[in-house]
Amino acid sequence: MRYDSHAVNPYMARALRLARRVLGTTSPNPAVGAVVVRDGRIVGEGATQPPPGPHAEVVALSRAGEAARGGALYVSLEPCCHQGRTPPCVDAILEAGVSEVHIAMLDPDPSVNGGGRAALEAAGLKVTVGEGEEAARRLLEAYVKHRLARLPFVIAKFAASLDGRIAAASGDSRWVAGPQARAWAHRLRTRIDAIMVGSGTVVIDDPLLTARPGGRTARRQPLRVVVDTRGRTPPMAQILTGPAPTLVATADDTSLAWRASVEAAGAEVLLLPREGEHVDPYPLLVALAERGVVSLLVEGGGVLLGSLFDRGLVDKVHAVIGPAIIGAADAPAAVAGRGAYRMADALRLRDVSVRRLGEDILVTGYPQYPGPRD
């Protein structure tokens, strides 16, 4: 994502760029950037550090030191005013002696939500809100969803052929997408909190499901989640090994022996109610949000994606389209579920963007659901 420097104050644009650099490393805290300016010159800057590290404002102000006194602070999210893992950022701002604070957007977290702005104004500081707000909201879309709905921001990602198939009739899916698309997917995994697949993907593809940008295992790994209603995941599956933790979500009537074998392999088992023939996805999302999962990447298969789309639980779509035609009637589709009976009922995307990934095309957009959502 690029920010238009002509539309956003250059100091706020810099704060947004700093925030974007740490996206995916600060969760469950938001990725925030801050810049301290005095006499038209940047004297300090920083971004939120991984928990329990300092927030962006504290980093920027500490780097500015005495040069911050009488200056201006530009920050991509409202400073916190409560004691969490770290002291309130408002206190650090007041102690630093800046005279004005520019905030891109207010923090939707109920523990802040205007409180930081009010505290700064009460202390006599000039506070401006809204510079770069649109860019800040897009950057923090997952954080906003998590704080307002108490659910993860769900990103559906799949690679499909031109005719919408994710594998051949045999189930072979290596590779629908090319190397550039796969490299992009590994970079994406470094910016999310959890990655989820259905048991069919585990049984057929046996993925490791870790973030390996540039072929190297990333330091921070997303939680791996397997939705396995019938207890199909073999205890020797790769997804139960490696550097990342694994959560297996299953129905409460699955075999005790199978659950024990999965737990012995190192996974945590979460028991959930059924919705028809499958695990109910909504309580699973609630449980993940309670564990601090702010962003969730769902990589298939079609049955799992279909259940999420049918319930209106997908917030964003990344569809990688490869220049191939599979054509087999038995080849699995990217999205199953109830779907649309008429074209008028088909789910459309808004704010669509398209880019090339080598020979593949990446289509990104946000689903437009017709009625109230869960």
Side-chain angles (χ1 to χ4, degrees), residues 24 70 131:
E131 298 173 356

Side-chain angles (χ1 to χ4, degrees), residues 34-304:
V35 173
V36 183
V37 178
R38 183 174 177 181
D39 299 328
R41 183 172 62 91
I42 294 178
V43 295
E45 63 181 27
T48 300
Q49 299 301 296
H55 293 182
E57 301 94 320
V58 174
V59 175
L61 291 168
S62 64
R63 289 176 177 170
E66 280 302 309
R69 197 161 299 278
L73 173 68
Y74 290 80
V75 61
S76 58
L77 183 68
E78 179 183 15
C80 62
C81 53
H82 65 288
Q83 177 71 45
R85 292 187 180 91
T86 61
C89 289
V90 165
D91 292 353
I93 294 170
L94 297 178
E95 184 178 347
V98 301
S99 60
E100 58 184 276
V101 179
H102 299 254
I103 302 168
M105 62 173 283
L106 297 180
D107 192 334
D109 191 309
S111 61
V112 185
N113 197 20
R117 173 187 186 176
L120 294 171
E121 290 178 331
L125 275 69
K126 177 183 177 181
V127 180
T128 303
V129 178
E131 298 173 356
E133 181 174 3
E134 182 179 353
R137 286 193 175 278
R138 183 56 58 89
L139 179 71
L140 294 177
E141 57 190 4
Y143 173 76
V144 171
K145 164 78 180 297
H146 183 269
R147 291 306 194 267
L148 293 180
R150 297 298 174 185
L151 291 171
F153 185 83
V154 179
I155 306 166
K157 177 257 173 185
F158 54 85
S161 62
L162 286 172
D163 52 344
R165 307 298 187 179
I166 57 174
S170 65
D172 174 33
S173 61
R174 296 177 185 267
W175 296 100
V176 175
Q180 289 93 332
R182 296 198 296 274
W184 165 84
H186 277 286
R187 292 193 298 271
L188 176 62
R189 289 178 181 180
T190 67
R191 299 195 295 270
I192 50 95
D193 298 324
I195 181 169
M196 187 161 75
V197 295
S199 59
T201 298
V202 173
V203 171
I204 296 171
D205 294 340
D206 192 24
L208 186 57
L209 221 64
T210 55
R212 303 185 300 280
R216 293 183 290 271
T217 302
R219 180 180 304 176
R220 178 183 180 272
Q221 290 290 331
L223 170 69
R224 298 175 294 188
V225 182
V226 181
V227 181
D228 188 348
T229 304
R230 293 179 287 167
R232 304 169 61 201
T233 301
M236 69 288 298
Q238 284 199 99
I239 202 169
L240 305 180
T241 66
T246 302
L247 175 70
V248 178
T250 190
D252 50 18
D253 58 356
T254 47
S255 161
L256 291 174
W258 170 78
R259 290 186 219 160
S261 70
V262 169
E263 290 175 331
E268 178 185 355
V269 174
L270 175 65
L271 301 181
L272 294 168
R274 288 177 180 264
E275 182 192 37
E277 298 181 357
H278 305 289
V279 165
D280 189 341
Y282 189 81
L284 171 56
L285 296 185
V286 171
L288 291 175
E290 291 173 348
R291 292 165 181 253
V293 173
V294 175
S295 54
L296 173 66
L297 180 66
V298 184
E299 292 200 355
V303 172
L304 176 58

Side-chain angles (χ1 to χ4, degrees), residues 5-37:
S5 59
H6 298 290
V8 180
N9 176 289
Y11 301 126
M12 186 62 77
R14 176 63 180 168
L16 288 164
R17 285 194 294 271
L18 291 169
R20 188 175 187 275
R21 288 179 184 176
V22 297
L23 189 64
T25 68
T26 65
S27 194
N29 294 333
V32 180
V35 173
V36 183
V37 178

